[in-house]
């Protein structure tokens, strides 16, 4: 039997016609090429080449062998090409989901990291609500979902992403504008825009008021945080929003005020329990976690999210 190394060397001599040419082609020493050719001929009992005027010509009995060697080498080239494609993300697709609050700023920044590592990777991103995320994972439509809350479900597993804080957002010119912070009690004095408190995401916003026994009367309800930001920007009221929605200037034209009371909450990555994760989704999770933890309150010294009131 011939090893792949022997196949490579014999083919290099056949292509270049000389030991020196084969050595340059393979970037090795000429004596090593010569020894391996002689050893291969001796061990197989076949003479591969005739030497004439310093050049090597295939012997008649080796012609069929050379055809097979070329076929083997072509297969090796094909294998190398497939490995290269896989290494760049080709032939694969990353299918991930996210709740709206994390998809606005954090997911695109994580995907940019993934694209740098896997430039040929196909990517499919779905924006999901809680009821959609469960089926999305259990039916195998995607590998993971970034979530701002967790739930008890025997078929799902939750891994920590990062912690965040809530901010009060006001339109420019509002009487609260320009202040560094505001209390929950002060917030309730103004028309409020928000998410339905019965919604898991909306419950995060409402909890601060429930904890302090304050009325949380929403005058305008919206389903997504980005809609809430747009309504505040239009001057229709003020709102509570999570820091990830507005991080890095994710929604310009509004002002962010730190809330006096503690408002910390946790975010998670949900996956189907027991399902193996691809290298691509593992890299996405690592990238998303890094982006989100970079703006965590403990790492940002309690300051408002970067790029306050400005576009990236």
């Amino acid at each position: 039997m011939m090893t792949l190394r022997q196949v490579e060397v014999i083919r290099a001599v056949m292509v270049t016609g000389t030991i020196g040419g084969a050595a340059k082609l393979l970037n090795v020493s000429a004596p090593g090429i010569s020894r391996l050719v002689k050893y291969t001929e001796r061990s197989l009992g076949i003479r591969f080449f005739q030497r004439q005027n310093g050049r090597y010509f295939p012997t008649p009995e080796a012609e069929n062998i050379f055809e097979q060697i070329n076929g083997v080498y072509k297969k090796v080239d094909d294998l190398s090409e497939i490995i290269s494609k896989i290494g760049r993300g080709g032939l694969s697709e990353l299918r991930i989901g996210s709740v709206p609050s994390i998809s606005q700023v954090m997911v695109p920044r994580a995907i940019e990291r993934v694209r740098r590592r896997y430039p040929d990777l196909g990517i499919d991103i779905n924006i999901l609500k809680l009821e959609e995320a469960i089926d999305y994972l259990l039916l195998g439509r995607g590998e993971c979902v970034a979530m701002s809350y967790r739930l008890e479900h025997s078929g799902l597993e939750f891994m920590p992403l990062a912690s965040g804080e809530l901010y009060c957002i006001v339109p420019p010119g509002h009487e609260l504008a320009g202040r560094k912070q505001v209390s929950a009690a002060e917030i309730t004095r103004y028309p409020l825009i928000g998410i339905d408190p019965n919604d898991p995401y909306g419950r995060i916003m409402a909890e601060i008021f429930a904890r302090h026994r304050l009325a949380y009367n929403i005058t305008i309800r919206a389903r997504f945080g980005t809609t809430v930001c747009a309504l505040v920007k239009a001057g229709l009221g003020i709102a509570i929003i999570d820091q990830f929605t507005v991080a890095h200037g994710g929604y310009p034209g509004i002002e962010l005020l730190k809330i006096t009371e503690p408002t910390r909450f946790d975010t998670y990555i949900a996956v189907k329990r027991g399902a193996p994760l691809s290298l691509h989704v593992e890299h996405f999770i690592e990238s998303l976690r890094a982006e989100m933890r970079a703006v965590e309150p403990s790492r940002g010294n309690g300051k408002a999210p970067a790029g306050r009131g400005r576009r990236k």
Side-chain angles (χ1 to χ4, degrees):
M1 295 293 293
M2 292 180 67
T3 66
L4 285 177
R5 181 57 177 170
Q6 289 172 315
V7 169
E8 185 180 39
V9 168
I10 296 298
R11 182 179 183 277
V13 176
M14 178 188 69
V15 170
T16 62
T18 65
I19 294 295
K24 288 181 180 179
L25 183 64
L26 300 178
N27 196 29
V28 296
S29 66
I33 294 291
S34 180
R35 284 194 297 270
L36 186 56
V37 170
K38 291 178 181 178
Y39 169 78
T40 304
E41 288 181 328
R42 186 169 59 253
S43 62
L44 296 179
I46 299 172
R47 189 172 60 148
F48 288 100
F49 301 102
Q50 289 178 334
R51 185 173 180 179
Q52 298 178 7
N53 300 322
R55 295 191 63 83
Y56 284 70
F57 296 92
T59 61
E61 58 268 30
E63 289 289 349
N64 289 335
I65 295 176
F66 287 137
E67 288 182 13
Q68 296 300 318
I69 286 177
N70 280 331
V72 170
Y73 206 79
K74 176 64 167 58
K75 292 294 184 182
V76 172
D77 280 345
D78 292 344
L79 176 61
S80 298
E81 183 178 356
I82 289 175
I83 292 173
S84 177
K85 285 181 178 179
I86 292 174
R88 293 172 55 86
L91 311 179
S92 299
E93 184 178 53
L94 173 68
R95 293 176 293 120
I96 59 101
S98 173
V99 295
S101 58
I102 299 176
S103 70
Q104 170 74 5
V105 177
M106 294 292 118
V107 167
R109 294 175 70 90
I111 289 296
E112 193 273 334
R113 290 190 182 208
V114 173
R115 177 61 79 206
R116 286 202 307 265
R117 173 64 181 84
Y118 299 106
D120 297 335
L121 179 65
I123 300 174
D124 181 71
I125 304 171
N126 283 269
I127 312 304
L128 305 168
K129 295 289 283 183
L130 172 63
E131 60 274 16
E132 300 168 326
I134 296 173
D135 284 349
Y136 181 77
L137 292 171
L138 296 183
L139 297 178
R141 295 170 182 159
E143 290 190 76
C144 73
V145 178
M147 302 184 71
S148 52
Y149 38 78
R150 65 174 299 163
L151 60 140
E152 295 301 324
H153 195 290
S154 60
L156 301 180
E157 180 180 351
F158 288 81
M159 299 178 288
L161 266 179
S163 297
E165 284 185 337
L166 303 179
Y167 284 85
C168 176
I169 55 174
V170 302
H174 191 276
E175 59 184 87
L176 291 177
R179 290 181 52 172
K180 292 183 178 179
Q181 63 181 21
V182 63
S183 70
E186 289 177 291
I187 293 172
T188 61
R189 299 171 189 167
Y190 300 90
L192 288 174
I193 301 168
I195 313 294
D196 186 342
N198 294 316
D199 180 280
Y201 176 60
R203 198 175 302 129
I204 294 173
M205 316 301 163
E207 185 178 343
I208 180 176
F209 301 100
R211 192 163 58 241
H212 295 280
R213 295 182 175 83
L214 295 169
Y216 182 52
N217 299 317
I218 302 174
T219 59
I220 302 178
R221 293 187 182 185
R223 191 178 186 195
F224 302 116
T226 50
T227 307
V228 170
C229 291
L231 292 167
V232 170
K233 182 178 179 180
L236 297 172
I238 68 174
I240 306 297
I241 202 72
D242 72 284
Q243 72 174 95
F244 300 119
T245 295
V246 293
H248 300 289
Y251 207 99
I254 56 176
E255 294 195 23
L256 276 59
L257 284 66
K258 185 174 177 62
I259 300 173
T260 306
E261 292 83 359
T263 61
R264 199 175 184 93
F265 67 96
D266 296 317
T267 60
Y268 306 88
I269 277 285
V271 298
K272 185 177 181 179
R273 190 178 298 277
L277 300 179
S278 67
L279 288 175
H280 309 120
V281 82
E282 286 183 351
H283 186 62
F284 166 74
I285 293 171
E286 291 172 2
S287 299
L288 182 60
R289 184 178 287 126
E291 288 291 342
M292 295 180 69
R293 290 188 174 179
V295 296
E296 273 187 334
S298 59
R299 291 168 171 79
N301 299 318
K303 297 179 180 179
R308 172 177 173 176
R310 295 190 297 274
R311 197 178 294 273
K312 281 198 322 183

